Amino acid sequence: MKKTHYFLLAFCLLAAAGCNREEKLYYSSPNTIPHTNRQMQSPGFWIARNNCADKVILNSAGIALFNSKTENELKLVKDLSKTVPVYAGSELSSSLRKQIDGFLRRKLYSKNSIRTGEPFYREISRRINLEAIPRQINARYGFVCCYVDQRLLPTDDILTIEPGDSAFDELQNSSLDIGTPVVILHETKDSGWVYAYSPVSSGWIKKDSVAFCGFDEFKSFLEKAPFVVTVSAKSDIFRDSELKQHIDYVRMGARFPLADNFDSGTVSVFVPGQTKEGKLVERIAYMRKADVNIGYLAYTPRNIMQQAFKLLNAPYSWGGKNGEQDCSGFVQEVFSTAGIILPRNSAEQGQVGRLLGNFSEKTDNESKVRILDKQAAGGAALLRLKGHILIYLGMYAGRPYVIHEIHAYRQRQGLGKDIVRKINRTVVSDLYLGEGSRKGSLLDRVVSIRNISG
């Protein structure tokens, strides 16, 4: 056979193999999402169409009961002021071992596009030092004193499903702002990382990001009153009352004890600092009054919508990396301004609140729209898809609309192929986005609808 014939045969085989794989073509999304307009980009548009915009959905007692149910019945969040001082070492050891084994079985790539293998995880196991976990763990307590990523394994290495796709780091679990309380159960052999629980997630964080303290001091700082909650997309913290010596910013829903409320447009708050020995010290810091609310906001559709729209066009970031939000982080931040504690990931968020409907692939979309129109509360209902979650806004011209932090959507491009349009920001859209694509529209993929209410 001639060399050219070998070449043609090889080409045909490669082409045939390619037919068995889905080809992804990426495009930018239009500035205006399909079926939306300029007016829809404001909370007022949706507030004006909500007959119960100022109705208090849950008062403070109702929110406390809601949070208690999420914690005690669903076991999805933790009140760290009530944590037990001793944990079973065998449970933690087993959990950490299973996590390593789970990653080992997956096909993942490092940032240089090389598949990770047993040597990588062997080194992780050595670093974690499972053998050093005692039978009974005496918990330690502290507060995050600088922004930190929370990782599923104690490493800064990036692991991705697709080679080179660093936007989706499979080791990124969450990220924690200044003031986040944590309970520490273990540290790595080199003492560089600690395994810690926050109220809504657990994972590995850098040890030097934690200001350690005893339980009494921990609880006292947690329960200080009065307090402020941050209501801006990003709220700056300063060392001085003139707001010139910048410390960092925190995201929406962060809570700090109030120190003083000035007439100058600023407030002073207590923030956790760290001694040279890594111990907690309470420091005074300053914030703009416009960035905070004294106490939580009233839980009304108006307030939730207004908070959600403050994050309109905020960049999408998997696991909250770089201080931004993913879909569940967005939802969590918005509702936390009213004191509602939601779990960290979308699957768990889809388990809280009053269920309006669970759906299978066979459920017709008309049934979903009917529930949204008649029962779902605009500004107070969550719609869950597999791997995604959205806040319901309301109906307009017979179409259900949502606000959500989204990476991309698919669009049918003929010949049985889709293109992927990257959005990478918080947007308003209707639920027909992606209609006709292989994955279907958002509405096709909705698996549950819940009102965040008692």
Side-chain angles (χ1 to χ4, degrees), residues 99-100 103 120-121 124 128 151-155 171 193 204:
Q99 194 158 55
I100 295 171
F103 277 107
F120 174 84
Y121 298 104
I124 291 291
I128 289 176
R151 311 284 288 165
L152 293 175
L153 296 177
T155 177
L171 295 184
W193 298 77
W204 295 93

Side-chain angles (χ1 to χ4, degrees), residues 78-87 139 141 183 197 215 218:
K78 297 179 186 294
D79 181 349
L80 298 190
S81 69
K82 300 175 183 175
T83 54
V84 295
V86 178
Y87 289 76
Y141 303 89
V183 174
Y197 284 98
F215 179 72
F218 179 77

